[in-house]
Amino acid sequence: MAKKRSRKNKKKKRIRFHKSFILPFIITLTAAVALGVLALAAHQWIMEPVKTKPADEVRLDYEKETQKTDRVETEGNDTGVGEGTEPVMPEEEPETVSKYQEELDNPAYMEENNIYVVEPAEPDRVTMTFAGDILFDTNYAIMGTVRGSGDISQGIMPEVIERMQAADIMMLNNEFAYSDRGTPTADKQFTFRARPGTAAYLTDLGVDLVSLANNHAYDYGPTALEDTLDTLRETGIPYVGAGRNIDEARKPVYYIVGDMKIAFVSATQIERLDTPDTKEATETTPGVFRCWNGEKLMETIREAAQNSDFVVAYIHWGTENQAELDWAQLKQAPELIAAGADLVIGDHPHCLQPIGVIQGVPVIYSLGNFWFNSKTLDTGMVEVVIDETGIVSYQFIPCLQSGCKTTLLQGAEKERVLAYMRVISEGVRIDGDGYVSW
């Protein structure tokens, strides 16, 4: 009996063990299944939109996120954020290229076509200053103040030279030959020739360009004229209005200043004879560019206008010692402008002549002597400022040639000359500083 009780007791214990194990197991299994279902649902909810998107849209989303990340990183670099990364440098702006860059890059073309380059003192503007006749012949009185010292500022005063040197381009009339050779023209009252070394005075004065289209450049014949061309070239002074042949004599000189190209053309009406003492250049012989018959001059100006932005015509004309304009000046001035001249500068009469305007183009018919002889004469310079639209300002600067010196006028003397220019000039206004408007 005792053994039976013992087995019975063991059986009851085994039944209690199984009940205590199964219940927790069922609860745990139920919980695991529930979690699995939830996980599967979450997976389907998250991944399904991605699966249903086209591949291109998925790639686009990725690229957007990448760009956003790159932008944040770049901004961090710009502000110094992010160690071990180099700051992103801004791209350099491309250099401004001149519209004449092709010419500027071709030195042989520039030399062949008389093209020079000047850096303007003021961006996008060009200042040009013009004066009349000069003479460096030591046999004449004008050189008396300079002959001993060799200092040109003893003849042309420093305040005048300062205005000349301030110009981007300074031009005047070189009315003589540079040479130690040649024979003076027979029966000519005045013949002018200077030692070649005096050409250095042009550099001292700030002269950039000279006209040789006058009635004295040929005074000592073709040999002296060719010496003149060589001397000016060696001194670094461009010339216009004369040459070894007609092609060179009529060829314009061009200046590229910033993004503007300016043409200078020069010719002479003097002398008015079929066989003048001052010979015109031909296809094979040296001489000056004559315009008593203006056909070649007008053709040259038209060509210059096609190849530049602004054309200056510097003309030797008029009647000596007369302020009144002669018929040949009145006839040719409008022809110059119709051909394409944007500015007309005149000389030869040895005295001042009027400032006029033709079709909006200013003409000063004569600047007179600048530094030429011992007479006391009113004279002056013209300073013209241009930009890409045309003339910005036009100023007449009164000067005086007296005692073989040229001085800049001020005060009452300045006003006296300006008042005279107002009287003889029609259709323009000249203010107290010499600025001309129309």
Side-chain angles (χ1 to χ4, degrees):
M1 292 295 294
K3 289 183 179 179
K4 287 184 179 178
R5 259 197 314 270
S6 177
R7 281 196 298 266
K8 188 175 181 180
N9 289 339
K10 285 184 179 180
K11 185 176 180 181
K12 286 181 178 179
K13 283 184 178 180
R14 195 161 42 243
I15 291 171
R16 284 198 299 269
F17 171 78
H18 285 301
K19 285 181 179 179
S20 64
F21 170 77
I22 291 172
L23 183 60
F25 174 78
I26 292 172
I27 294 172
T28 302
L29 180 62
T30 302
V33 171
L35 288 174
V37 170
L38 289 174
L40 180 61
H43 179 269
Q44 292 293 328
W45 179 73
I46 293 171
M47 296 301 298
E48 187 61 25
V50 176
K51 290 180 180 179
T52 57
K53 274 189 177 183
D56 290 343
E57 291 186 22
V58 175
R59 185 171 62 252
L60 183 60
D61 289 342
Y62 171 78
E63 290 174 354
K64 286 181 179 178
E65 289 300 319
T66 302
Q67 289 172 2
K68 186 184 298 183
T69 302
D70 291 344
R71 185 166 60 251
V72 171
E73 290 178 356
T74 301
E75 291 172 354
N77 288 336
D78 288 342
T79 56
V81 177
E83 295 182 3
T85 58
E86 295 183 1
V88 178
M89 302 301 292
E91 293 185 5
E92 293 184 3
E93 294 185 4
E95 293 184 4
T96 302
V97 178
S98 169
K99 63 181 177 181
Y100 297 107
Q101 195 63 46
E102 187 175 347
E103 295 179 19
L104 294 170
D105 291 339
N106 191 339
Y109 177 86
M110 293 180 66
E111 182 176 0
E112 181 182 353
N113 291 278
N114 288 347
I115 304 173
Y116 300 86
V117 180
V118 169
E119 287 296 326
E122 185 177 358
D124 303 320
R125 289 193 172 189
V126 184
T127 300
M128 301 180 290
T129 301
F130 303 91
D133 309 333
I134 60 165
L135 178 62
F136 296 159
D137 191 330
T138 55
N139 294 315
Y140 286 84
I142 189 63
M143 289 292 288
T145 56
V146 176
R147 191 180 294 114
S149 65
D151 182 0
I152 193 64
S153 68
Q154 298 299 309
I156 301 175
M157 296 296 98
E159 66 272 16
V160 181
I161 296 175
E162 184 177 352
R163 291 298 296 261
M164 299 170 72
Q165 292 175 340
D168 295 316
I169 303 170
M170 202 285 150
M171 181 181 186
L172 47 68
N173 178 46
N174 194 112
E175 193 143 355
F176 58 92
Y178 294 97
S179 182
D180 295 318
R181 304 190 297 166
T183 304
T185 301
D187 301 323
K188 192 169 186 178
Q189 183 179 7
F190 299 106
T191 54
F192 304 135
R193 179 182 63 174
R195 292 180 292 103
T198 61
Y201 292 147
L202 297 173
T203 303
D204 296 339
L205 293 171
V207 174
D208 299 288
L209 173 66
V210 297
S211 170
L212 295 175
N214 55 61
N215 55 307
H216 288 288
Y218 198 86
D219 278 357
Y220 280 75
T223 300
L225 176 59
E226 290 185 298
D227 286 347
T228 300
L229 306 180
D230 291 337
T231 297
L232 290 170
R233 183 175 291 277
E234 291 166 4
T235 308
I237 303 294
Y239 56 84
V240 65
R244 292 171 177 78
N245 52 55
I246 188 59
D247 287 342
E248 182 181 357
R250 66 185 289 192
K251 183 180 289 187
V253 164
Y254 296 94
Y255 277 91
I256 295 177
V257 189
D259 207 31
M260 287 179 280
K261 188 178 182 183
I262 306 165
F264 295 83
V265 177
S266 188
T268 174
Q269 284 188 356
I270 312 300
E271 300 120 352
R272 301 172 180 180
L273 304 168
D274 291 334
T275 56
D277 291 331
T278 304
K279 304 300 181 185
E280 181 173 21
T282 70
E283 292 182 0
T284 57
T285 60
V288 300
F289 185 24
R290 288 176 54 80
C291 63
W292 181 239
N293 179 336
E295 183 178 347
K296 289 180 181 177
L297 174 58
M298 305 312 154
E299 181 183 339
T300 301
I301 290 175
R302 284 191 290 269
E303 291 174 358
Q306 292 174 356
N307 294 314
S308 67
D309 302 300
F310 194 92
V311 179
V312 178
Y314 193 108
I315 309 298
H316 206 67
W317 57 5
T319 303
E320 289 187 1
N321 305 313
Q322 290 188 17
E324 295 80 13
L325 305 180
D326 68 28
W327 68 270
Q329 290 173 289
L330 293 171
K331 173 183 179 296
Q332 198 163 84
E335 294 174 350
L336 298 170
I337 293 158
D342 299 293
L343 177 66
V344 179
I345 305 291
D347 72 322
H348 173 68
H350 302 299
C351 63
L352 293 172
Q353 288 187 332
I355 299 172
V357 176
I358 301 172
Q359 298 178 9
V361 175
V363 181
I364 184 163
Y365 287 90
S366 175
L367 280 168
N369 288 352
F370 183 57
W371 190 65
F372 192 76
N373 58 28
S374 59
K375 294 180 179 180
T376 296
L377 293 169
D378 294 333
T379 183
M381 297 181 287
V382 165
E383 182 180 277
V384 181
V385 178
I386 66 171
D387 64 12
E388 61 181 6
T389 66
I391 294 176
V392 175
S393 67
Y394 184 106
Q395 184 183 21
F396 177 79
I397 305 168
C399 298
L400 181 71
Q401 175 194 271
S402 181
C404 300
K405 296 181 179 181
T406 296
T407 59
L408 195 67
L409 293 180
Q410 301 290 348
E413 279 294 283
K414 174 182 177 180
E415 178 54 33
R416 177 185 61 79
V417 176
L418 291 176
Y420 173 73
M421 293 301 292
R422 293 186 193 109
V423 169
I424 66 173
S425 303
E426 296 181 1
V428 300
R429 296 176 297 278
I430 305 174
D431 72 11
D433 291 320
Y435 285 99
V436 182
S437 56
W438 51 90

